[in-house]
């Protein structure tokens, strides 16, 4: 267990990147089409690509809040945003190599397709969170931890279900970096939640009432639902999600017994 936020940052900065130059050089792109990809997974990959590329939007949102002004979190986000954008670029290349060509302007097109409601709410968001000052940082970190854990488990499910060796190699490397991100968020969240009962109560209320699956908002709900129903379908998929995401969430101070996250997934996947 880390004792300070600086300890968490030091740990994070000492983690080597899984997606190194050596790894990139080892990806057998010329073998991608040797293995069929179920067309059902193409929309999932597009969704994941877009959400990874939207990290800079989330980054800019946080910078307008006390959370983003925290020097430890800010330093983490500087590296985190770059890694997530690279994940999006790699997923986009895989789509093209697999026979699903994308536009050269895919990132701009994806951002242009973000619903107006999200853009409008994005402008109001800092005004609301800033009312609570640093006390809202706990909710930010818990939300981020859930999303990173969800992303990580989504990648695990995808490579298992798709059975594509090149995709698995790529997703395993991305997942290693997502695991590091999720542990940073979770560890900072724990420290924030331990600071006061108000922070714990506020964070539990925010997650319990307002949490939505990663990507929803920037992507239409029907696309979010498709990804969830594809990756976590049925009792086995929901149990997998609960074990690897919700039960980890419940280990945070003040979150014992909160089943909101699994319940939200189950409504779609069952």
């Amino acid at each position: 267990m880390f004792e300070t936020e600086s300890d968490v940052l030091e740990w994070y900065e000492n983690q080597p990147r899984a997606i190194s130059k050596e790894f990139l050089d080892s990806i057998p792109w010329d073998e991608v089409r040797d293995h069929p990809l179920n067309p059902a997974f193409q929309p999932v990959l597009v969704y994941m690509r877009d959400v990874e590329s939207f990290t800079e939007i989330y980054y800019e949102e946080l910078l307008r809040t006390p959370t983003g002004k925290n020097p430890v979190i800010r330093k983490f986000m500087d590296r985190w945003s770059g890694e997530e954008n690279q994940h999006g670029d790699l997923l986009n290349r895989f789509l093209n190599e697999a026979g699903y060509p994308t536009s050269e302007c895919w990132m701009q097109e994806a951002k242009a397709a973000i619903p107006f409601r999200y853009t409008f709410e994005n402008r109001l968001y800092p005004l609301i969170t800033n009312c609570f000052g640093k006390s809202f940082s706990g909710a930010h970190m818990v939300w981020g931890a859930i999303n990173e854990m969800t992303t990580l488990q989504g990648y695990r499910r995808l490579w298992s279900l798709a059975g594509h060796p090149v995709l698995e190699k790529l997703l395993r490397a991305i997942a290693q970096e997502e695991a590091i991100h999720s542990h940073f968020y979770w560890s900072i969240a724990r420290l924030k939640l331990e600071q006061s009962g108000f922070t714990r109560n506020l964070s539990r209320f925010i997650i319990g009432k307002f949490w939505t699956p990663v990507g929803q908002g920037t992507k239409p709900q029907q696309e979010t639902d498709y990804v969830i129903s594809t990756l976590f379908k049925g009792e086995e998929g929901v149990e997998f999600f609960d074990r690897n995401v919700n039960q980890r969430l419940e280990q945070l101070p003040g979150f014992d017994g909160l089943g909101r996250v699994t319940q939200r997934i189950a409504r779609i996947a069952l």
Side-chain angles (χ1 to χ4, degrees):
M1 289 288 188
F2 301 108
E3 295 185 0
T4 68
E5 293 179 14
S6 295
D7 291 341
V8 182
L9 179 62
E10 181 180 3
W11 167 83
Y12 174 69
E13 291 182 325
N14 285 330
Q15 301 306 303
R17 289 207 59 187
I19 302 178
S20 61
K21 182 181 184 304
E22 291 73 22
F23 171 79
L24 292 173
D25 291 341
S26 74
I27 301 175
W29 294 112
D30 59 334
E31 297 177 12
V32 171
R33 295 204 190 190
D34 293 342
H35 309 278
L37 178 70
N38 187 327
F41 297 123
Q42 185 264 348
V44 176
L45 284 164
V46 169
Y47 186 96
M48 290 174 160
R49 176 202 68 181
D50 290 353
V51 171
E52 293 278 17
S53 71
F54 291 159
T55 297
E56 63 184 55
I57 297 174
Y58 313 139
Y59 178 55
E60 291 171 359
E61 288 175 3
L62 281 179
L63 288 179
R64 300 199 299 271
T65 71
T67 302
K69 294 178 175 62
N70 178 309
V72 167
I73 296 173
R74 172 65 183 271
K75 200 165 186 181
F76 160 77
M77 291 194 304
D78 287 342
R79 171 176 161 180
W80 164 73
S81 61
E83 292 178 352
E84 300 286 50
N85 282 331
Q86 186 179 33
H87 297 170
D89 288 338
L90 289 169
L91 293 175
N92 186 67
R93 177 165 181 184
F94 179 85
L95 283 164
N96 282 275
E97 298 288 354
Y100 297 98
T102 63
S103 166
E104 292 184 1
C105 302
W106 68 267
M107 188 178 297
Q108 293 90 331
E109 292 169 0
K111 290 178 180 177
I114 293 174
F116 173 76
R117 178 178 177 179
Y118 180 86
T119 303
F120 176 74
E121 292 176 347
N122 184 30
R123 297 184 183 278
L124 297 178
Y125 168 74
L127 301 177
I128 298 172
T129 59
N130 288 350
C131 292
F132 296 95
K134 295 180 180 179
S135 296
F136 206 91
S137 294
H140 276 146
M141 292 296 101
V142 175
W143 195 300
I146 297 171
N147 284 354
E148 292 288 345
M149 289 189 290
T150 301
T151 301
L152 167 61
Q153 302 310 324
Y155 285 138
R156 289 181 62 195
R157 293 289 289 181
L158 179 54
W159 83 56
S160 176
L161 294 169
H164 191 293
V166 181
L167 180 61
E168 179 174 350
K169 177 183 176 70
L170 177 60
L171 294 183
R172 281 185 179 275
I174 293 176
Q176 287 182 48
E177 298 194 341
E178 298 293 354
I180 294 170
H181 299 163
S182 68
H183 191 57
F184 177 92
Y185 273 109
W186 190 94
S187 299
I188 295 292
R190 180 184 64 81
L191 293 172
K192 295 289 186 187
L193 295 171
E194 288 176 344
Q195 291 176 1
S196 74
F198 178 75
T199 298
R200 289 192 293 275
N201 292 335
L202 175 63
S203 300
R204 185 182 177 105
F205 173 79
I206 293 297
I207 299 301
K209 294 293 184 181
F210 301 109
W211 180 81
T212 55
V214 59
Q216 185 172 318
T218 53
K219 301 288 286 184
Q221 183 174 338
Q222 62 267 27
E223 294 185 21
T224 306
D225 291 353
Y226 178 85
V227 171
I228 292 171
S229 62
T230 300
L231 297 181
F232 301 105
K233 184 177 182 179
E235 292 184 3
E236 186 272 335
V238 172
E239 192 280 330
F240 176 93
F241 182 92
D242 183 70
R243 182 175 67 252
N244 291 288
V245 179
N246 207 112
Q247 290 182 29
R248 177 64 169 160
L249 168 66
E250 291 186 78
Q251 294 174 16
L252 288 171
F255 279 82
D256 182 50
L258 183 69
R260 156 73 177 177
V261 177
T262 293
Q263 291 165 8
R264 178 70 178 82
I265 298 300
R267 286 204 301 269
I268 301 167
L270 292 179

